[in-house]
Amino acid sequence: MERSILAGKDLSEDAQLAMWKNFIQKVSEFARKCYKTRDLIGMLSIGEDEEELEIPDIDLFRPENVGNVDSCEMIDMEKLLAILDVNSLTEDAVSANVLRKNNDSYGVGLWLLPSFINHSCCPNSRRLHVGDYLIVHASKDLKAGEEITFAYLDPLSPLSKRREMSMTWGIQCKCKRCRFENEVFTKQEIKEIEIGLERGMDVGGVVYKLEEHMKRLKVRGKEKAYLRASFWSAYCEAYRSDRSMKRWGRRIPAMDAVVDSVVDVVGGDHRLLKIMVEELKKNGGGGSGLVGMEKALKLARDVYGKVVKKQAMKTLVEFCVGD
């Protein structure tokens, strides 16, 4: 890992270059000193011909593996730079949470096993950064044999934005959600909703219109959740606006129902948790408040992992939501 102190909200270009240079030197030194590290780094993608890459044997990552001690061949710098460009992970990614005392630094690192995790617009795992450690945990229930995936780009954004962001990664996502949205976003009704949102149409009206169109198009289940996730910014703004809720509240779905359906397809996300806890605080305690807190804690475990004890999780949720 390498970190740099944030002088303001963003890291300056010079600071980024200095951090990247130090990071490359660190990785290069580790690879030179440790055969196992060198061998594992050499297996990582350089962003070309990824379909031909073989899935490595998990035994190679176990502590008892010491690497190929008979080979003195090192990774050339050009290949190393390509590997780091494709596989390095930053702490500020959409699929990551960071636990530390302050937020005045920015980090980038290379964690070998998580580097093999592919992207999905319906991810099922997240990363938790604690110091130099990275913990990968499920963000929703997993089936036996199911591939573990991260969101490389924001899953709570529409298809057009995700495609734009995916160009940075050099990927063309063909998941079920992208295939469905590719078809439905060509329909005139959905295009009109997108245009209305861009032109400042009342967000409550946007949500109402989308829900009505989904009824007419007979969009149900996960497909309905895909579109709710894509238009999450409108739902979120509507639920937070007293004015919108006064006008549209009885005509649009309840917030917790929408959150549940979105979590079902994109997994735990701190933004979904935040609005759920905000709603709890707004409505006060009581019996329904206790039920709501249990739901919030369940979602918090999807966001931060299940290793945190219940009381500590409550404190963590309050701290992170208030952040």
Side-chain angles (χ1 to χ4, degrees):
M1 275 207 74
E2 179 64 17
R3 285 198 182 87
S4 185
I5 303 299
L6 289 168
K9 282 190 174 182
D10 298 308
L11 204 61
S12 70
E13 190 174 337
D14 288 344
Q16 286 185 46
L17 288 172
M19 182 177 71
W20 184 247
K21 182 181 178 182
N22 292 338
F23 176 54
I24 293 167
Q25 286 178 342
K26 277 187 178 181
V27 175
S28 183
E29 285 173 17
F30 270 110
R32 198 161 45 243
K33 291 176 183 177
C34 175
Y35 297 119
K36 177 180 178 179
T37 301
R38 176 204 61 192
D39 294 347
L40 292 176
I41 289 175
M43 293 179 184
L44 295 174
S45 168
I46 59 171
E48 298 174 3
D49 303 320
E50 297 211 351
E51 289 80 7
E52 297 176 14
L53 288 176
E54 293 183 4
I55 298 172
D57 189 330
I58 196 68
D59 286 338
L60 295 172
F61 295 87
R62 300 191 191 283
E64 54 268 26
N65 173 40
V66 294
N68 184 1
V69 297
D70 297 324
S71 173
C72 296
E73 186 180 350
M74 296 306 297
I75 305 169
D76 69 78
M77 188 54 70
E78 186 178 347
K79 182 179 179 182
L80 180 62
L81 290 174
I83 287 170
L84 293 180
D85 185 45
V86 172
N87 297 281
S88 299
L89 300 173
T90 58
E91 291 180 323
D92 67 338
V94 69
S95 59
N97 290 101
V98 182
L99 294 185
R100 58 169 173 255
K101 289 182 180 178
N102 52 58
N103 294 317
D104 60 354
S105 67
Y106 169 90
V108 61
L110 180 68
W111 292 270
L112 294 166
L113 194 52
S115 295
F116 288 94
I117 298 176
N118 284 325
H119 162 77
S120 173
C121 293
C122 297
N124 57 26
S125 70
R126 289 182 64 82
R127 311 194 315 253
L128 182 65
H129 292 263
V130 184
D132 288 352
Y133 291 93
L134 184 152
I135 301 164
V136 176
H137 64 86
S139 60
K140 57 184 177 182
D141 292 339
L142 298 174
K143 296 175 183 177
E146 184 178 348
E147 181 184 2
I148 296 170
T149 56
F150 281 146
Y152 288 14
L153 36 99
D154 189 359
L156 297 182
S157 57
L159 179 64
S160 56
K161 290 277 178 67
R162 299 201 310 277
R163 280 184 170 166
E164 189 180 312
M165 289 184 283
S166 69
M167 291 177 68
T168 307
W169 290 91
I171 58 175
Q172 286 185 317
C173 188
K174 297 175 183 177
C175 68
K176 284 183 180 179
R177 177 181 172 188
C178 285
R179 293 200 303 271
F180 166 73
E181 289 186 6
N182 187 52
E183 182 181 332
V184 82
F185 270 74
T186 59
K187 297 186 182 296
Q188 187 60 34
E189 302 98 318
I190 303 298
K191 282 184 177 179
E192 287 174 1
I193 291 172
E194 275 197 293
I195 293 169
L197 196 55
E198 288 171 4
R199 292 180 178 176
M201 180 180 171
D202 182 279
V203 285
V206 169
V207 170
Y208 173 74
K209 201 170 183 180
L210 177 62
E211 291 287 334
E212 288 300 303
H213 281 319
M214 286 195 289
K215 283 180 188 176
R216 280 197 286 274
L217 295 171
K218 295 183 179 178
V219 176
R220 301 184 181 93
K222 286 190 184 295
E223 292 180 344
K224 181 183 282 190
Y226 293 156
L227 291 179
R228 285 172 169 175
S230 288
F231 286 95
W232 173 250
S233 62
Y235 282 90
C236 182
E237 195 177 333
Y239 292 132
R240 282 183 170 147
S241 168
D242 291 337
R243 183 180 174 185
S244 281
M245 291 307 290
K246 189 174 181 179
R247 182 178 179 185
W248 300 101
R250 293 179 180 275
R251 292 189 277 176
I252 62 176
M255 182 273 295
D256 57 344
V258 172
V259 168
D260 286 347
S261 71
V262 174
V263 168
D264 187 45
V265 294
V266 304
D269 187 286
H270 64 281
R271 291 162 294 184
L272 302 173
L273 175 61
K274 186 167 185 172
I275 197 168
M276 182 180 281
V277 176
E278 285 174 355
E279 188 71 13
L280 275 173
K281 288 182 176 179
K282 190 191 296 184
N283 294 334
S288 60
L290 292 173
V291 174
M293 179 51 76
E294 285 301 317
K295 288 183 70 174
L297 288 174
K298 183 181 182 301
L299 179 53
R301 286 189 285 273
D302 292 338
V303 175
Y304 296 104
K306 298 180 181 180
V307 294
V308 183
K309 290 185 178 178
K310 190 171 182 178
Q311 189 55 48
M313 184 66 83
K314 282 184 179 180
T315 306
L316 177 63
V317 167
E318 289 175 5
F319 171 76
C320 292
V321 169
D323 192 11

